[in-house]
Amino acid sequence: MSLQQIFGWGTLRLALAGLIGAHGWHRALTGGVQLFGQWLDNNGWPMGILIAVAITAFEIIGPLFLALNRYVTLVCLGYVGIYATGIAILHAKVGWFVVGPGRNGAEFSALLILVLLSVAVHHWPSRR
């Protein structure tokens, strides 16, 4: 791999780590875990608080693996599952746009999923 490719993929992986980590830490430090868990409970998910804790922990711990370039494919695919579920249970119902002509839409999650899939495929273990 060229130096440009290493820099490009590394920058993208670190950007994902920073964005996802900030999301998890913000939820953890502002009382959002409880609110997220209650929202899940109110929408028929069993053990909503446990799910909220698990997702938040994964959003805090997973970025460390991304930053260290370890288990990148597995971590990215885990996030794809989480964010795809978020689109299915919330974001798709309110539309496409996050801001502007809409609110809480799916556009950012969709972009994040595409980027995560790209990074996951790039880091897919090869059989050499």
Side-chain angles (χ1 to χ4, degrees):
M1 207 168 24
S2 72
L3 185 58
Q4 288 172 322
Q5 291 171 322
I6 292 169
F7 178 79
W9 285 107
T11 300
L12 187 58
R13 187 173 36 77
L14 291 174
L16 280 170
L19 288 169
I20 294 169
H23 192 78
W25 277 109
H26 180 267
R27 186 184 304 119
L29 296 174
T30 62
V33 176
Q34 186 70 26
L35 293 173
F36 183 27
Q38 289 171 350
W39 184 87
L40 290 168
D41 283 335
N42 293 338
N43 284 278
W45 288 76
M47 300 180 294
I49 190 67
L50 185 61
I51 294 169
V53 167
I55 289 172
T56 303
F58 189 49
E59 286 181 332
I60 290 170
I61 296 166
L64 299 173
F65 288 98
L66 293 178
L68 295 171
N69 203 20
R70 299 287 182 243
Y71 306 107
V72 173
T73 297
L74 289 174
V75 170
C76 286
L77 292 177
Y79 289 131
V80 166
I82 290 168
Y83 301 138
T85 301
I87 289 174
I89 68 172
L90 172 66
H91 301 295
K93 295 175 185 175
V94 295
W96 178 251
F97 295 102
V98 174
V99 296
R103 184 176 177 322
N104 287 334
E107 70 176 324
F108 182 71
S109 294
L111 175 61
L112 202 51
I113 287 169
L114 291 171
V115 173
L116 285 161
L117 286 172
S118 297
V119 172
V121 169
H122 176 74
H123 285 81
W124 197 270
S126 62
R127 294 186 175 186
R128 294 182 195 178

